[in-house]
Amino acid sequence: MRHAGAVKKRTRAAVYVLVEGAAAVVSLFLLMVGLILLSLSILIVGWLLLPSYVRVLRWWAGLARKRTAAYTGRPVLQRYPPMPSNPTFGDWRRFLTDQSTRRDAAWLSIHGLGAFVAAMLTIALPLGALNSIAVPLYWQQMPAGEPVNNPYPVTSWLGAAGMPLIGILYLLIAWWLIPAMAKWISWSTTTLLAPDTRSDLSKRVTALTASRAAALDAHSAELKRIERDLHDGAQNRLVAVVMMLGMAERSLQNNPDQALPQLHRAQDAATEALSELRTLVHDIYPPILDELGLEGAISALAGRSAVPCVLEIDELRRAPAAVEAAAYFVVAEALTNVAKHSGARSVTVTARTEASDDSLGETMLIDVIDDGQGGANERPGGGVAGIRRRVEAFEGTAVLESPEGGPTTMRVELPCGF
């Protein structure tokens, strides 16, 4: 039983090395393409093609992580920075020289050469062993001037008798070397394609610093909005109510017939002030989230949308209240922007929860896509800026893609592990 387990383990290692060896051919090709693009980077065409190349490199490295995770039973995690939207030259330069991109490129060169050699040895050692064991059966059929050379010329029965020992030696080498090569390939993949602890901690500290600043900005903007809405709306109406009640009091003393209409106007003004206060409280934390949950709240937004809205919700799980409130705000603001600026005939909202590739647990993904005229951009104090500020407070990302002629896509990722 013990020997059967050892054979199974080495067979699994051999299959892994052979698969990685076959993949190494693609890695070598991608390595050559990357070197060519780097040599062309002094030209415009090189910079235009490099972002697409990095996307392919990320995809290929992701497949390597999955293969290694399947072999070792341990996930190989990596979180890439988001692709820049409407990028400048500086944005692309930072993206192409990001640490994760450099690590992927280093893995590509090592994998392309190392895994290919390992696969050749995995094939050559067992075949060499079988050939050596079979030499005594066929060495005499070889031409006199072309004896078997494995690893020495076999010209006699004495030389042929020693070949099975060479074959056993090859098998022993393969028995030890193949698992070692599989371990090296998985180790190099895990080491190069997963960020080290210090790098991950540094990025985490940077992200927390940025999210804290975004949270403070969002909190400050929210306080200013509440103060403005109270001052310009409910407060003015309540002042008007006080004035109308004062006028009604004087009318009761001097002209009682005019008091009742003034009281009615004061009552209407008080009702409007109360309605505005309810709206203000609703914007701070919509009560509908408690009543129907995020799915029901988004459905209500879609039903009230001025532009016909298609809602697609797939496995949207409950999240912390603050995250759900941010998601509700994102959808509400995005639908408002579509109605005001896009000229769209329809809009699609998709929302789902997916497992994240990092320690933050699950991630809520929200896409708002309209068929409008496109050309949307982010401006300070605008709706998109407000969405980004709200999302970044939770270490999330918001990406706007709006080419001229449309469609416009707002993609938001909100970590739920808070």
Side-chain angles (χ1 to χ4, degrees):
M1 197 72 176
R2 182 178 178 182
H3 294 297
V7 171
K8 182 179 179 181
K9 178 180 178 181
R10 281 158 175 78
T11 302
R12 188 165 175 266
V15 171
Y16 173 68
V17 173
L18 291 175
V19 170
E20 291 300 317
V25 177
V26 180
S27 294
L28 285 171
F29 172 76
L30 290 177
L31 181 61
M32 293 174 60
V33 172
L35 293 175
I36 293 173
L37 289 179
L38 282 177
S39 65
L40 294 175
S41 60
I42 58 175
L43 304 175
I44 296 178
V45 65
W47 278 102
L48 291 177
L49 293 176
L50 274 174
S52 298
Y53 175 80
V54 172
R55 289 187 180 94
V56 174
L57 178 58
R58 286 184 174 185
W59 168 77
W60 184 241
L63 292 181
R65 292 187 188 93
K66 292 180 180 179
R67 293 195 302 269
T68 299
Y71 173 69
T72 62
R74 297 186 301 273
V76 183
L77 304 178
Q78 172 64 290
R79 189 181 189 187
Y80 290 111
M83 305 286 282
S85 59
N86 301 322
T88 63
F89 178 80
D91 293 331
W92 278 130
R93 185 176 181 181
R94 286 190 295 272
F95 167 68
L96 295 173
T97 57
D98 182 77
Q99 185 180 22
S100 59
T101 304
R102 296 198 302 269
R103 296 172 75 93
D104 287 353
W107 165 82
L108 191 69
S109 58
I110 294 175
H111 180 262
L113 299 173
F116 184 78
V117 172
M120 293 299 100
L121 288 174
T122 301
I123 295 173
L125 286 173
L127 291 180
L130 291 176
N131 181 57
S132 299
I133 294 172
V135 163
L137 301 178
Y138 72 85
W139 73 274
Q140 287 182 306
Q141 279 68 43
M142 300 297 293
E146 300 179 9
V148 176
N149 287 281
N150 186 24
Y152 57 84
V154 177
T155 58
S156 65
W157 279 106
L158 181 61
M163 292 305 295
L165 297 178
I166 301 296
I168 294 173
L169 179 62
Y170 283 161
L171 288 176
L172 291 176
I173 294 174
W175 184 264
W176 169 81
L177 186 60
I178 291 176
M181 292 189 298
K183 185 177 181 180
W184 174 82
I185 293 174
S186 63
W187 173 84
S188 63
T189 300
T190 302
T191 301
L192 291 174
L193 294 186
D196 58 24
T197 305
R198 287 176 298 178
S199 172
D200 191 52
L201 180 60
S202 176
K203 289 183 178 180
R204 182 68 173 151
V205 170
T206 302
L208 286 174
T209 302
S211 67
R212 180 177 180 273
L216 290 174
D217 289 343
H219 179 67
S220 176
E222 192 70 10
L223 286 178
K224 291 179 180 178
R225 183 187 66 82
I226 293 172
E227 181 182 9
R228 183 180 64 250
D229 290 348
L230 284 173
H231 182 273
D232 297 341
Q235 179 177 315
N236 287 343
R237 295 191 183 280
L238 289 175
V239 170
V241 169
V242 172
M243 294 177 62
M244 292 176 186
L245 290 176
M247 293 172 62
E249 181 182 8
R250 287 193 296 272
S251 296
L252 283 174
Q253 296 174 352
N254 303 322
N255 190 357
D257 294 338
Q258 296 181 358
L260 184 60
Q262 291 172 348
L263 287 174
H264 286 162
R265 287 197 296 272
Q267 183 180 22
D268 292 340
T271 301
E272 292 177 358
L274 182 60
S275 176
E276 289 190 2
L277 286 173
R278 286 174 177 170
T279 301
L280 183 61
V281 173
H282 178 275
D283 290 341
I284 296 174
Y285 184 81
I288 193 173
L289 286 174
D290 280 334
E291 299 170 4
L292 303 178
L294 181 59
E295 183 174 347
I298 293 178
S299 299
L301 287 175
R304 296 196 303 267
S305 174
V307 178
C309 181
V310 177
L311 184 62
E312 298 177 0
I313 295 180
D314 182 22
E315 296 184 3
L316 182 62
R317 292 182 284 276
R318 293 307 301 263
V323 177
E324 290 192 344
Y328 180 88
F329 170 84
V330 165
V331 176
E333 186 66 29
L335 290 178
T336 300
N337 289 342
V338 170
K340 286 183 177 179
H341 310 297
S342 70
R345 293 187 300 273
S346 65
V347 59
T348 301
V349 176
T350 64
R352 65 186 183 278
T353 305
E354 291 185 353
S356 179
D357 290 337
D358 53 34
S359 59
L360 294 182
E362 296 180 330
T363 299
M364 186 183 301
L365 304 178
I366 300 173
D367 291 321
V368 181
I369 306 171
D370 68 72
D371 60 357
Q373 59 194 1
N377 52 43
E378 183 176 341
R379 56 181 178 81
V384 177
I387 290 175
R388 186 180 303 280
R389 185 173 58 245
R390 180 82 62 117
V391 169
E392 288 178 348
F394 297 91
E395 295 186 52
T397 59
V399 178
L400 176 67
E401 295 181 359
S402 184
E404 291 293 339
T408 296
T409 301
M410 168 64 75
R411 181 176 181 84
V412 170
E413 296 185 10
L414 276 171
C416 299
F418 290 89

